[in-house]
Amino acid sequence: MRFPLARFAKKSLFLTVLLLLTGLAARAQQAGDTTSVGCGPPLPRMLCVDLDGRPSIDEPAGPFTYEWHMGDGTTLTGPTISHCYKERKNYVVQLDVIVDKTGEVRRGQKYIPINLLQQDIVDFTASTTRVRVGQPVSFDSPEAQLLQCRNMQYIWDFRDGTVVQGRTAQHTFRRAGTYSVRFSMRGYGSEACVASHCVSRQIVVEP
């Protein structure tokens, strides 16, 4: 018996796509495993920047005074500066340069975009890290994100046999001990999404 080539090609393509999707789902499931994969350090939001204005300046015309307008109302001076913002948003830093010999002000010598929104964050908070048996602990991950991933899932493993999903969770420990509560993120997308993204924090439960 012969099968039409077009029909056979369609079936082969369907099976290939199905196998690829199944394999991707299996890898994502493995990446989200809360027990077999070790966690790295927290990846918190970054609000601080270090900037160096010297590479963009014509050194022979110096010396200079460097004046940085950080975009949040703060002005700093010096060839290199460090600054921590209070809000996670986008800023544009303006560097003005003053020629010390002549007093000439070169405004907008350099503009530097600071994007504090486009960054991966793998971290969570707990209402307390020390509690007594029977007292609830609240957990939250308001800023956790993986920019290149979609259909994100957030998994909490309390290390006492309880596993729940969601951005927030509340849990009551029934036995005394030290529990390394693990927060895991998994999603679909690039290879970076398939990899495991998790962080753990210790909760001490007293009798």
Side-chain angles (χ1 to χ4, degrees), residues 55-71:
S56 60
I57 304 303
D58 180 17
E59 290 292 344
F64 304 100
T65 296
Y66 297 77
E67 193 171 85
W68 303 83
H69 303 278
M70 303 305 297

PDB file of all heavy atoms in Angstrom, residues 55-71:
ATOM      1  N   PRO A  55      36.652  58.509  29.472  1.00  0.00           N
ATOM      2  CA  PRO A  55      36.872  58.047  28.089  1.00  0.00           C
ATOM      3  C   PRO A  55      36.254  58.947  27.020  1.00  0.00           C
ATOM      4  O   PRO A  55      36.674  58.901  25.862  1.00  0.00           O
ATOM      5  CB  PRO A  55      36.210  56.659  28.082  1.00  0.00           C
ATOM      6  CG  PRO A  55      36.234  56.217  29.506  1.00  0.00           C
ATOM      7  CD  PRO A  55      36.015  57.471  30.298  1.00  0.00           C
ATOM      8  N   SER A  56      35.274  59.762  27.358  1.00  0.00           N
ATOM      9  CA  SER A  56      34.591  60.577  26.350  1.00  0.00           C
ATOM     10  C   SER A  56      35.103  62.013  26.299  1.00  0.00           C
ATOM     11  O   SER A  56      34.539  62.851  25.606  1.00  0.00           O
ATOM     12  CB  SER A  56      33.083  60.595  26.646  1.00  0.00           C
ATOM     13  OG  SER A  56      32.831  61.147  27.932  1.00  0.00           O
ATOM     14  N   ILE A  57      36.191  62.311  27.017  1.00  0.00           N
ATOM     15  CA  ILE A  57      36.682  63.684  27.124  1.00  0.00           C
ATOM     16  C   ILE A  57      38.030  63.829  26.425  1.00  0.00           C
ATOM     17  O   ILE A  57      38.868  62.926  26.447  1.00  0.00           O
ATOM     18  CB  ILE A  57      36.813  64.089  28.609  1.00  0.00           C
ATOM     19  CG1 ILE A  57      35.474  63.905  29.325  1.00  0.00           C
ATOM     20  CG2 ILE A  57      37.276  65.533  28.730  1.00  0.00           C
ATOM     21  CD1 ILE A  57      34.334  64.674  28.708  1.00  0.00           C
ATOM     22  N   ASP A  58      38.243  64.994  25.807  1.00  0.00           N
ATOM     23  CA  ASP A  58      39.516  65.330  25.164  1.00  0.00           C
ATOM     24  C   ASP A  58      40.504  65.750  26.247  1.00  0.00           C
ATOM     25  O   ASP A  58      40.543  66.907  26.671  1.00  0.00           O
ATOM     26  CB  ASP A  58      39.300  66.460  24.154  1.00  0.00           C
ATOM     27  CG  ASP A  58      40.595  66.857  23.449  1.00  0.00           C
ATOM     28  OD1 ASP A  58      41.561  66.068  23.502  1.00  0.00           O
ATOM     29  OD2 ASP A  58      40.626  67.952  22.860  1.00  0.00           O
ATOM     30  N   GLU A  59      41.308  64.813  26.721  1.00  0.00           N
ATOM     31  CA  GLU A  59      42.180  65.043  27.866  1.00  0.00           C
ATOM     32  C   GLU A  59      43.157  66.217  27.697  1.00  0.00           C
ATOM     33  O   GLU A  59      43.386  66.975  28.640  1.00  0.00           O
ATOM     34  CB  GLU A  59      42.959  63.757  28.195  1.00  0.00           C
ATOM     35  CG  GLU A  59      42.099  62.643  28.771  1.00  0.00           C
ATOM     36  CD  GLU A  59      41.566  62.971  30.158  1.00  0.00           C
ATOM     37  OE1 GLU A  59      42.102  63.901  30.792  1.00  0.00           O
ATOM     38  OE2 GLU A  59      40.618  62.316  30.599  1.00  0.00           O
ATOM     39  N   PRO A  60      43.788  66.426  26.524  1.00  0.00           N
ATOM     40  CA  PRO A  60      44.756  67.530  26.398  1.00  0.00           C
ATOM     41  C   PRO A  60      44.162  68.906  26.689  1.00  0.00           C
ATOM     42  O   PRO A  60      44.899  69.843  27.018  1.00  0.00           O
ATOM     43  CB  PRO A  60      45.214  67.426  24.936  1.00  0.00           C
ATOM     44  CG  PRO A  60      45.024  65.981  24.593  1.00  0.00           C
ATOM     45  CD  PRO A  60      43.775  65.579  25.320  1.00  0.00           C
ATOM     46  N   ALA A  61      42.855  69.059  26.559  1.00  0.00           N
ATOM     47  CA  ALA A  61      42.238  70.363  26.807  1.00  0.00           C
ATOM     48  C   ALA A  61      41.992  70.612  28.287  1.00  0.00           C
ATOM     49  O   ALA A  61      41.580  71.708  28.671  1.00  0.00           O
ATOM     50  CB  ALA A  61      40.918  70.468  26.049  1.00  0.00           C
ATOM     51  N   GLY A  62      42.250  69.612  29.136  1.00  0.00           N
ATOM     52  CA  GLY A  62      41.962  69.707  30.565  1.00  0.00           C
ATOM     53  C   GLY A  62      42.960  70.554  31.325  1.00  0.00           C
ATOM     54  O   GLY A  62      43.813  71.206  30.717  1.00  0.00           O
ATOM     55  N   PRO A  63      42.837  70.583  32.654  1.00  0.00           N
ATOM     56  CA  PRO A  63      41.948  69.752  33.478  1.00  0.00           C
ATOM     57  C   PRO A  63      40.486  70.208  33.431  1.00  0.00           C
ATOM     58  O   PRO A  63      40.190  71.325  33.035  1.00  0.00           O
ATOM     59  CB  PRO A  63      42.535  69.911  34.880  1.00  0.00           C
ATOM     60  CG  PRO A  63      43.158  71.274  34.864  1.00  0.00           C
ATOM     61  CD  PRO A  63      43.702  71.453  33.480  1.00  0.00           C
ATOM     62  N   PHE A  64      39.593  69.286  33.869  1.00  0.00           N
ATOM     63  CA  PHE A  64      38.162  69.528  33.796  1.00  0.00           C
ATOM     64  C   PHE A  64      37.507  69.328  35.162  1.00  0.00           C
ATOM     65  O   PHE A  64      38.040  68.656  36.041  1.00  0.00           O
ATOM     66  CB  PHE A  64      37.485  68.554  32.816  1.00  0.00           C
ATOM     67  CG  PHE A  64      38.058  68.579  31.431  1.00  0.00           C
ATOM     68  CD1 PHE A  64      38.960  67.614  31.013  1.00  0.00           C
ATOM     69  CD2 PHE A  64      37.682  69.560  30.531  1.00  0.00           C
ATOM     70  CE1 PHE A  64      39.483  67.623  29.733  1.00  0.00           C
ATOM     71  CE2 PHE A  64      38.199  69.582  29.241  1.00  0.00           C
ATOM     72  CZ  PHE A  64      39.102  68.614  28.841  1.00  0.00           C
ATOM     73  N   THR A  65      36.323  69.892  35.266  1.00  0.00           N
ATOM     74  CA  THR A  65      35.405  69.555  36.350  1.00  0.00           C
ATOM     75  C   THR A  65      34.232  68.811  35.726  1.00  0.00           C
ATOM     76  O   THR A  65      33.620  69.308  34.773  1.00  0.00           O
ATOM     77  CB  THR A  65      34.901  70.813  37.082  1.00  0.00           C
ATOM     78  OG1 THR A  65      36.014  71.460  37.711  1.00  0.00           O
ATOM     79  CG2 THR A  65      33.876  70.440  38.143  1.00  0.00           C
ATOM     80  N   TYR A  66      33.951  67.630  36.237  1.00  0.00           N
ATOM     81  CA  TYR A  66      32.874  66.794  35.706  1.00  0.00           C
ATOM     82  C   TYR A  66      31.626  66.998  36.563  1.00  0.00           C
ATOM     83  O   TYR A  66      31.677  66.862  37.789  1.00  0.00           O
ATOM     84  CB  TYR A  66      33.265  65.321  35.734  1.00  0.00           C
ATOM     85  CG  TYR A  66      34.455  64.974  34.864  1.00  0.00           C
ATOM     86  CD1 TYR A  66      35.755  65.281  35.271  1.00  0.00           C
ATOM     87  CD2 TYR A  66      34.281  64.324  33.652  1.00  0.00           C
ATOM     88  CE1 TYR A  66      36.848  64.953  34.479  1.00  0.00           C
ATOM     89  CE2 TYR A  66      35.366  63.984  32.854  1.00  0.00           C
ATOM     90  CZ  TYR A  66      36.650  64.307  33.277  1.00  0.00           C
ATOM     91  OH  TYR A  66      37.727  63.977  32.492  1.00  0.00           O
ATOM     92  N   GLU A  67      30.521  67.290  35.914  1.00  0.00           N
ATOM     93  CA  GLU A  67      29.263  67.518  36.626  1.00  0.00           C
ATOM     94  C   GLU A  67      28.199  66.577  36.065  1.00  0.00           C
ATOM     95  O   GLU A  67      27.838  66.663  34.889  1.00  0.00           O
ATOM     96  CB  GLU A  67      28.831  68.975  36.478  1.00  0.00           C
ATOM     97  CG  GLU A  67      27.728  69.392  37.431  1.00  0.00           C
ATOM     98  CD  GLU A  67      27.486  70.890  37.409  1.00  0.00           C
ATOM     99  OE1 GLU A  67      26.716  71.336  36.529  1.00  0.00           O
ATOM    100  OE2 GLU A  67      28.074  71.610  38.244  1.00  0.00           O
ATOM    101  N   TRP A  68      27.706  65.699  36.922  1.00  0.00           N
ATOM    102  CA  TRP A  68      26.748  64.674  36.511  1.00  0.00           C
ATOM    103  C   TRP A  68      25.351  65.039  37.011  1.00  0.00           C
ATOM    104  O   TRP A  68      25.148  65.254  38.201  1.00  0.00           O
ATOM    105  CB  TRP A  68      27.128  63.319  37.097  1.00  0.00           C
ATOM    106  CG  TRP A  68      28.495  62.827  36.748  1.00  0.00           C
ATOM    107  CD1 TRP A  68      29.673  63.162  37.354  1.00  0.00           C
ATOM    108  CD2 TRP A  68      28.825  61.894  35.722  1.00  0.00           C
ATOM    109  NE1 TRP A  68      30.722  62.494  36.775  1.00  0.00           N
ATOM    110  CE2 TRP A  68      30.235  61.708  35.766  1.00  0.00           C
ATOM    111  CE3 TRP A  68      28.086  61.192  34.772  1.00  0.00           C
ATOM    112  CZ2 TRP A  68      30.900  60.850  34.893  1.00  0.00           C
ATOM    113  CZ3 TRP A  68      28.744  60.337  33.906  1.00  0.00           C
ATOM    114  CH2 TRP A  68      30.138  60.170  33.969  1.00  0.00           C
ATOM    115  N   HIS A  69      24.395  65.087  36.103  1.00  0.00           N
ATOM    116  CA  HIS A  69      22.988  65.282  36.455  1.00  0.00           C
ATOM    117  C   HIS A  69      22.310  63.918  36.293  1.00  0.00           C
ATOM    118  O   HIS A  69      22.132  63.431  35.172  1.00  0.00           O
ATOM    119  CB  HIS A  69      22.354  66.339  35.554  1.00  0.00           C
ATOM    120  CG  HIS A  69      23.075  67.659  35.604  1.00  0.00           C
ATOM    121  ND1 HIS A  69      22.863  68.589  36.598  1.00  0.00           N
ATOM    122  CD2 HIS A  69      24.033  68.178  34.789  1.00  0.00           C
ATOM    123  CE1 HIS A  69      23.650  69.643  36.396  1.00  0.00           C
ATOM    124  NE2 HIS A  69      24.372  69.416  35.306  1.00  0.00           N
ATOM    125  N   MET A  70      21.944  63.314  37.423  1.00  0.00           N
ATOM    126  CA  MET A  70      21.590  61.899  37.444  1.00  0.00           C
ATOM    127  C   MET A  70      20.163  61.592  36.991  1.00  0.00           C
ATOM    128  O   MET A  70      19.778  60.439  36.893  1.00  0.00           O
ATOM    129  CB  MET A  70      21.815  61.338  38.853  1.00  0.00           C
ATOM    130  CG  MET A  70      23.241  61.529  39.361  1.00  0.00           C
ATOM    131  SD  MET A  70      24.497  60.858  38.234  1.00  0.00           S
ATOM    132  CE  MET A  70      24.080  59.118  38.244  1.00  0.00           C
ATOM    133  N   GLY A  71      19.358  62.609  36.731  1.00  0.00           N
ATOM    134  CA  GLY A  71      18.006  62.371  36.236  1.00  0.00           C
ATOM    135  C   GLY A  71      16.963  62.219  37.320  1.00  0.00           C
ATOM    136  O   GLY A  71      15.767  62.082  37.026  1.00  0.00           O
TER     137      GLY A  71
END
